[in-house]
Amino acid sequence: MGSEEMIFKWTDANTADLIVWRVTNNSLFTGRRNAAIKAYELYVKEKQLQGKVAPTWVRKKWENLKQKYKDLKSLRTADGESASATWKWYSVMDGALNSENPITHIITPVRVTIPAPDAPPTKQRKQADWLTALQELEKRQEERERQAAEREDERDRRSTAREDERDRRALEREAERDRRAAEREEIRERLVLEREERREREMFAREERWEKEMLAREERQERDYREREERREREAAAREERLFKVLETFLANK
């Protein structure tokens, strides 16, 4: 089975053909044991797919289509959105599995009037109608996909424009932050320079006051020293003078 899956690739034409065949031959699937596998063996033989795909894989393909349809249908019921926009086979499977909405009622098949003797059997006409319906559905699906792609491109374009606008505004905000930061830095540097200059002026003023005070103190000390020296000299001169007077008096009394 694994090798058959790798060899045979289901194309859209194969898938559409399987859906048409499965619905038109629904009477073969009686529910009895091995009835389904025998019916799929008949499908492989009719479509000349012997050696390309096994009947069990055909059955698996059909079951996968049904399961995906059921999953999408339940999602559409819950969300209220059309599942056909997400899976191109949804409308076809809906017509194939829904007896109230058969696929032949989705669109009006194009019929070609031909003479009665050459008319195809009923089964072949039914398959032709189904194929016509499938082709029309494929065209509609392609149109929906094209419109969805255009909408996606428009969303991408708008998203890109919004991203560009956000980037531009972010760059402007960043430039404004840088400008304000530069202004604040310039103000801080100016304040630092002003403080440094003020400290230098204050330091020079203190040094100048200190030098003046030192000079005044030295002058005052020198003046005091001279005054003390002069006072000592006067006192010494006065003592000498008194001493001379005492000596003179003493000598005079002798």
Side-chain angles (χ1 to χ4, degrees), residues 7-56:
I7 295 173
F8 187 75
K9 300 297 183 181
W10 286 91
T11 64
D12 289 348
N14 295 136
T15 303
D17 196 25
L18 172 61
I19 296 172
V20 171
W21 185 91
R22 178 61 178 79
V23 175
T24 55
N25 292 275
N26 192 49
S27 59
L28 298 177
F29 297 85
T30 60
R32 295 180 180 179
R33 184 177 182 182
N34 296 328
I37 196 66
K38 290 180 180 179
Y40 288 122
E41 288 176 354
L42 179 61
Y43 169 82
V44 172
K45 186 180 296 184
E46 286 183 1
K47 304 303 177 181
Q48 298 180 356
L49 297 175
Q50 298 92 332
K52 296 180 180 179
V53 62
T56 53

Side-chain angles (χ1 to χ4, degrees), residues 7 15 22 32 36 41 50 62-63 103 109 118 126-128 136-137 142 150 181 191 195 201-202 223 225-226 233:
I7 295 173
T15 303
R22 178 61 178 79
R32 295 180 180 179
E41 288 176 354
Q50 298 92 332
W62 174 252
E63 294 299 329
I103 191 170
D118 298 331
K126 192 173 183 180
Q127 288 184 347
E136 181 65 22
L137 288 174
E142 290 176 358
E150 290 178 354
L191 292 175
R195 285 195 298 270
R201 287 195 301 270
E202 292 175 353
R223 186 174 60 253
Y225 175 76
R226 286 197 301 269
E233 289 177 357

Side-chain angles (χ1 to χ4, degrees), residues 49-97:
L49 297 175
Q50 298 92 332
K52 296 180 180 179
V53 62
T56 53
W57 182 246
V58 178
R59 180 175 63 181
K60 183 178 180 182
K61 176 66 175 179
W62 174 252
E63 294 299 329
N64 288 341
L65 290 171
K66 285 202 306 182
Q67 185 61 46
K68 187 167 184 178
Y69 165 77
K70 292 177 181 179
D71 293 341
L72 292 176
K73 187 174 183 179
S74 64
L75 289 176
R76 183 175 67 169
T77 302
D79 301 338
E81 297 180 356
S82 176
S84 61
T86 61
W87 189 41
K88 62 183 178 181
W89 298 110
Y90 181 86
S91 299
V92 180
M93 291 299 296
D94 187 61
L97 299 178

Side-chain angles (χ1 to χ4, degrees), residues 113-124:
T113 303
I114 57 177
D118 298 331
T122 303
K123 182 177 179 181
Q124 293 182 2

Side-chain angles (χ1 to χ4, degrees), residues 6 14 71 140 147 151 207 211 232:
M6 292 177 61
N14 295 136
D71 293 341
R140 293 183 181 182
Q147 293 176 357
R151 289 193 296 270
E207 290 179 354
E211 290 178 355
R232 281 197 295 270

